[in-house]
Amino acid sequence: MDETVAEYIRRTVLKIPRDEIKTMLQMWGFLSEAQLQTLNFHQAKDNISQEVVQLCEDNSADIKQAAALDIIYNHVYPNKRMWSVYQMSKSGEETDFFDLTDFKKKFKRRLQTALKNVTINFREYEDNAIWIRIAWGTPYKKPNQYKTSYVVYHSQTPYVFISASVIRSTLPLLCQTLVAASNYHDIREMELRSHCLNSLKDIVFKRYNQTFQTYYPRPLQERNVTSENVDLRIIQENKNEKERILRVNREVFGDGPQPKLEFAQYKLETTFKSNPTLHVSDIKEPFRCLVKFSSPHLLESLKSLAPAGLADAPLSPLLTCIPQKARNYFKIRERKGFFPGSFVSP
Amino acid sequence: HLATSLPLPSERDHLRPRIDLIAFMIDIKSKYSLKNVEASLAHVDASFFLGKVCFLVTGVGRVNYCSVETNAVWKLRDIYCSPVLYCELELEGVRVATAQRLLRMLQICAGHIPGVSALSFGSLLRNSEDE
């Protein structure tokens, strides 16, 4: 077995939390059940990984199997990487029947023609998700297994989720390959990024609890009294206002859990407007300013702002439109409203 | 009675008992809360500032998240001649102690403690702060 493959497998196993190693190796299916029985999963991870490598040596593992283990790891722990969302488009109305084999063949061929030194691996999952792992090399160097990009393509949709490698220059090639392989014409990067892959999927596939107009909203009093441990000696003077805030919040955010985003970024390209005596507004050039909101769970914290008394309800639509517009990067230009990033093809 | 700001909603005027003590809560982590208190102070009748108003500054345990400067709080204390209490609501011990202090103040303001008036107690508190 190749040295690099052995080392790669060893490092991949080390990444897995000890309690999950057995399950993941079973998912991998490369080592037989009998072989797995010989492993002691209660020792230090260092030792476990050495034993795994030894077994892989016995089975003559190659890079293909090692890559499969890596895809499985990233499928179970996708939140360790940053994902961007891309949308593909085609001009005509033709809905081609998606052929997986054809896609994989075209993808490999297209990519390998452009760049000989790449490792490409595919893995399909039940929800029509195709995971693609690409390890990048250069025209002169073999693929570096530690510089990988991952693509998650739901073949029934025009959306692709990409976790790019550190080599930014590979991105245009990757996009072109995807477009060619899937019979689309164009691909654009949506202004939507997060570590939580499932939340990104929730947003673009509209799987989160969206708000709908109800004609007969339930009166809020019913819910409040039962859930809170209310001391009757405390009298809320602003009960009506509090209820209004809760109602407005519910209309904006809905009842269900919010998709998980870590930040929202607003790039201002507006001119500075200030007190006339300051004479700063004589400067006609746009005032460059970047506002970034970060949070472990941005949308939930935005949702709790008004009820906590930290902001007025309703919140600015710039904040609340994030899931509906499926973006968390904005450019704000002069005049009313704001314009989304333009349609760009690589 | 809990209120988010003043003035109080007029619909409930007839249901409200006499007000003996107003405690303005300022969250040291929120400039918004300070602004809110400043705006509400304008709606308080001058007679309350004779010992029936105090400022309760909360969130003092989290030094890293202070948004309100201590000077701003002291300015309020000086302009409105009212004492400032500091507490951290998230610690049960401090919470209970602060509640007991407020209760004591309320008893004095309501006239339940003979020999001590709201005004004298208020100036006592302020003088002890200056030392």
Side-chain angles (χ1 to χ4, degrees):
Chain A
M1 189 166 70
D2 196 324
E3 268 281 306
T4 47
V5 173
E7 180 61 11
Y8 188 72
I9 294 177
R10 190 186 73 83
R11 290 210 200 178
T12 309
V13 174
L14 276 178
K15 283 198 289 189
I16 311 171
R18 192 166 65 164
D19 299 332
E20 302 297 317
I21 296 181
K22 184 164 185 199
T23 323
M24 216 163 278
L25 291 177
Q26 281 169 332
M27 269 191 241
W28 189 31
F30 178 63
L31 301 175
S32 72
E33 195 55 47
Q35 285 176 307
L36 288 178
Q37 297 290 4
T38 67
L39 287 169
N40 173 10
F41 292 103
H42 297 293
Q43 55 184 330
K45 275 215 289 197
D46 248 337
N47 298 336
I48 300 179
S49 61
Q50 296 284 15
E51 286 183 15
V52 171
V53 169
Q54 187 52 55
L55 288 174
C56 292
E57 176 87 51
D58 298 342
N59 288 17
S60 308
D62 66 17
I63 191 59
K64 198 157 176 288
Q65 275 89 32
L69 181 61
D70 182 51
I71 296 188
I72 293 171
Y73 171 77
N74 281 287
H75 179 254
V76 175
Y77 299 104
N79 301 346
K80 298 229 183 277
R81 302 187 69 100
M82 175 69 91
W83 298 88
S84 304
V85 191
Y86 290 74
Q87 187 179 18
M88 296 194 283
S89 62
K90 47 176 118 191
S91 49
E93 275 306 318
E94 349 94 53
T95 40
D96 301 336
F97 174 67
F98 180 78
D99 184 338
L100 181 63
T101 328
D102 189 53
F103 171 78
K104 296 202 300 200
K105 205 168 67 177
K106 279 200 187 140
F107 188 92
K108 275 188 118 124
R109 191 172 56 206
R110 181 67 191 262
L111 194 56
Q112 281 168 336
T113 316
L115 185 60
K116 207 168 34 126
N117 288 323
V118 279
T119 315
I120 308 172
N121 294 86
F122 299 89
R123 197 172 176 94
E124 297 86 51
Y125 285 92
E126 323 75 46
D127 53 348
N128 282 322
I130 302 164
W131 278 64
I132 313 173
R133 174 187 178 278
I134 303 118
W136 302 95
T138 70
Y140 312 104
K141 289 210 295 232
K142 268 174 36 154
N144 183 342
Q145 297 303 328
Y146 301 92
K147 294 216 159 66
T148 44
S149 300
Y150 298 86
V151 175
V152 180
Y153 174 40
H154 283 252
S155 51
Q156 304 305 315
T157 76
Y159 295 105
V160 186
F161 305 88
I162 299 181
S163 177
S165 75
V166 287
I167 314 173
R168 295 288 299 169
S169 55
T170 57
L171 204 48
L173 175 58
L174 180 56
C175 290
Q176 280 166 13
T177 312
L178 278 164
V179 169
S182 55
N183 295 324
Y184 277 87
H185 279 152
D186 230 330
I187 184 169
R188 73 164 181 127
E189 183 173 3
M190 294 173 69
E191 302 287 340
L192 182 62
R193 271 159 233 142
S194 173
H195 280 279
C196 184
L197 179 61
N198 278 335
S199 287
L200 290 176
K201 291 191 194 186
D202 285 343
I203 292 175
V204 294
F205 300 152
K206 306 268 179 235
R207 295 194 304 212
Y208 61 99
N209 187 309
Q210 288 185 286
T211 56
F212 298 103
Q213 284 283 15
T214 47
Y215 287 109
Y216 303 103
R218 259 184 310 142
L220 281 173
Q221 285 93 319
E222 283 172 28
R223 298 184 66 188
N224 277 351
V225 174
T226 44
S227 54
E228 286 167 43
N229 197 6
V230 175
D231 184 333
L232 290 173
R233 293 174 298 176
I234 300 174
I235 296 168
Q236 301 271 5
E237 289 284 343
N238 307 97
K239 203 153 79 117
N240 292 338
E241 177 62 12
K242 280 193 187 323
E243 281 169 5
R244 184 193 73 88
I245 290 175
L246 284 179
R247 197 187 63 238
V248 165
N249 226 37
R250 223 163 134 213
E251 278 166 23
V252 169
F253 289 97
D255 276 330
Q258 301 293 310
K260 191 164 181 211
L261 296 174
E262 296 98 40
F263 47 85
Q265 189 168 296
Y266 300 82
K267 197 165 175 184
L268 298 174
E269 288 172 5
T270 52
T271 52
F272 192 75
K273 290 181 176 56
S274 74
N275 190 327
T277 58
L278 283 178
H279 296 301
V280 184
S281 45
D282 291 348
I283 305 169
K284 293 297 172 216
E285 293 146 26
F287 184 76
R288 269 175 281 227
C289 173
L290 190 76
V291 180
K292 185 170 174 179
F293 294 87
S294 324
S295 164
H297 198 319
L298 183 71
L299 294 177
E300 280 295 338
S301 53
L302 289 177
K303 184 175 173 182
S304 52
L305 277 180
L310 292 168
D312 292 329
L315 290 177
S316 160
L318 281 172
L319 293 170
T320 56
C321 71
I322 292 171
Q324 283 98 304
K325 291 222 185 291
R327 58 184 307 161
N328 55 353
Y329 282 74
F330 297 84
K331 275 201 183 66
I332 303 178
R333 299 207 182 94
E334 240 357 302
R335 259 171 260 128
K336 317 183 199 107
F338 56 95
F339 305 126
S342 52
F343 203 93
V344 176
S345 40
Chain B
H1 286 239
L2 291 179
T4 56
S5 63
L6 295 178
L8 294 173
S10 52
E11 317 78 80
R12 301 183 54 91
D13 279 344
H14 59 289
L15 295 168
R16 229 173 274 124
R18 183 188 72 201
I19 296 175
D20 290 312
L21 173 67
I22 306 178
F24 287 95
M25 293 178 69
I26 302 173
D27 183 355
I28 211 155
K29 307 190 293 291
S30 164
K31 279 198 165 88
Y32 185 75
S33 108
L34 179 67
K35 270 206 193 133
N36 192 13
V37 164
E38 284 170 345
S40 301
L41 279 163
H43 295 278
V44 177
D45 186 77
S47 61
F48 277 96
F49 295 109
L50 299 172
K52 299 200 175 180
V53 169
C54 79
F55 297 102
L56 183 62
V57 177
T58 66
V60 296
R62 300 201 185 243
V63 185
N64 291 344
Y65 295 98
C66 276
S67 279
V68 173
E69 287 174 14
T70 328
N71 284 341
V73 173
W74 287 348
K75 217 167 77 160
L76 282 183
R77 179 199 62 188
D78 294 337
I79 295 175
Y80 293 97
C81 304
S82 299
V84 181
L85 299 180
Y86 295 90
C87 82
E88 176 54 73
L89 293 175
E90 292 182 31
L91 297 172
E92 202 194 321
V94 178
R95 202 167 65 222
V96 169
T98 310
Q100 285 169 340
R101 287 176 81 182
L102 283 172
L103 196 54
R104 199 67 176 147
M105 277 182 75
L106 180 58
Q107 283 176 318
I108 294 170
C109 293
H112 290 186
I113 312 288
V116 185
S117 73
L119 189 53
S120 65
F121 186 69
S123 48
L124 186 69
L125 276 182
R126 281 204 334 276
N127 290 340
S128 65
E129 267 174 37
D130 288 338
E131 279 154 21

